[in-house]
Amino acid sequence: MNALKEENRSEEAKNEAKRGFFEALGEQIGATLLGDLGKDIGKTLGEETDKTNVGKVVNYIVDNLVKIFYSWW
């Protein structure tokens, strides 16, 4: 049984859960180091990394893990 009903899940939360791993990681590291500018740079670099074969494999794994844990909500 899901603890959070479908109607209470926002589109923003769903999209955040599906974001690329490297995009999210780059954005967080950039924001920590350089604030908003670093966040934008990290996000851009992460998006590009997500497009590589390594990024695709990592995203596939992360996406499947997200689906497993997200279904518990």
Side-chain angles (χ1 to χ4, degrees):
M1 184 169 123
N2 290 333
L4 184 61
K5 295 180 182 179
E6 181 65 30
E7 63 266 17
N8 294 329
R9 296 180 192 174
S10 71
E11 284 303 312
E12 182 180 348
K14 290 177 189 177
N15 290 335
E16 185 68 23
K18 294 177 185 176
R19 268 196 330 155
F21 175 77
F22 290 107
E23 179 185 346
L25 183 63
E27 188 174 335
Q28 185 61 47
I29 290 171
T32 301
L33 296 176
L34 299 171
D36 287 339
L37 176 61
K39 180 178 178 179
D40 293 340
I41 292 170
K43 181 177 179 176
T44 301
L45 292 174
E47 287 172 345
E48 293 305 313
T49 303
D50 284 335
K51 294 175 186 175
T52 66
N53 287 333
V54 172
K56 289 176 184 176
V57 170
V58 171
N59 280 329
Y60 176 78
I61 294 167
V62 172
D63 282 346
N64 284 302
L65 289 173
V66 165
K67 287 176 188 173
I68 291 168
F69 291 108
Y70 193 73
S71 68
W72 293 353
W73 271 16

